[in-house]
Amino acid sequence: IEDTVKQCARAGYDLIVGGAATRDYAVAEGAQFLLITSSRESVEASIQQAIEQHHLINDVLDKNRLFQSVIDKSGSAVFIVGEQRELQYTNVAARKMLNDVERMEQFLSRGISTLQDTGTLHLIKKLNNDFYEITGGILPPPGQHGQPVGNVLLGVQQVWQVDIGHALVQFHP
């Protein structure tokens, strides 16, 4: 049982279903576990619960794929940076920008310090004779709306003009 549970956990199974002996191994591996007890009704209820959880997980994954698709089709570059300043996510526009714009990754890394100190970031930066508008904020922990966890969301797009309230500033390479 132990080897099977370890294989399932390493393979990324969302849920392990089994008896009391299986539970101990699943908990040790940090896996989600659903206990099956010996009565027929308990087994049927457990299987039904597992099916419902499977559908719920699939619904969440479908929504994630939809949001991923929307973000990837955005013209703005989207970067999510972890607490250790490592890139955790980049959309298609961000990956293209990192390939095309020399020093963009180093600049974003330095801008994170400002963002972590102030909580927000909004600036215009000239890189390689082009101007980029960079905005950012700190993301709250998943499922919470309280204190930010330290992950940073940055949006970057190339700009040719910016409205600063009372004037329109135009940029020329």
Side-chain angles (χ1 to χ4, degrees):
I1 295 174
E2 181 179 8
D3 290 339
T4 303
V5 170
K6 284 182 179 181
Q7 286 175 340
C8 290
R10 285 188 200 114
Y13 284 86
D14 296 318
L15 181 68
I16 297 175
V17 179
T22 306
R23 176 189 58 215
D24 296 336
Y25 297 120
V27 169
E29 291 295 320
Q32 292 256 353
F33 178 75
L34 185 62
L35 177 65
I36 294 179
T37 54
S38 58
S39 75
R40 179 178 181 88
E41 294 81 17
S42 296
V43 170
E44 288 173 355
S46 295
I47 290 172
Q48 184 60 37
Q49 185 180 2
I51 291 169
E52 289 170 10
Q53 285 185 354
H54 174 75
H55 289 301
L56 178 65
I57 289 168
N58 279 340
D59 288 346
V60 169
L61 291 174
D62 286 345
K63 287 179 183 169
N64 282 346
R65 282 189 283 276
L66 175 65
F67 289 130
Q68 177 79 37
S69 175
V70 169
I71 291 170
D72 275 345
K73 296 207 182 328
S74 169
S76 293
V78 176
F79 299 87
I80 297 179
V81 182
E83 292 182 67
Q84 305 304 318
R85 297 184 183 195
E86 75 284 1
L87 283 175
Q88 291 186 338
Y89 171 81
T90 54
N91 69 345
V92 172
R95 289 188 295 275
K96 181 176 179 346
M97 188 173 287
L98 286 172
N99 288 333
D100 293 348
V101 181
E102 210 174 294
R103 301 180 335 198
M104 178 63 79
E105 190 169 0
Q106 295 131 349
F107 174 74
L108 292 175
S109 180
R110 285 193 307 270
I112 291 170
S113 296
T114 302
L115 198 147
Q116 288 173 325
D117 292 342
T118 64
T120 60
L121 180 70
H122 187 200
L123 53 91
I124 306 295
K125 177 70 177 169
K126 182 178 181 181
L127 293 167
N128 300 353
N129 295 320
D130 292 317
F131 291 89
Y132 296 89
E133 181 176 25
I134 301 168
T135 57
I138 299 176
L139 298 172
Q144 297 181 18
H145 302 290
Q147 288 296 320
V149 73
N151 287 348
V152 170
L153 173 66
L154 294 169
V156 181
Q157 65 184 35
Q158 188 172 4
V159 293
W160 293 269
Q161 62 185 25
V162 175
D163 184 356
I164 57 171
H166 59 283
L168 188 64
V169 178
Q170 293 190 344
F171 302 103
H172 303 282

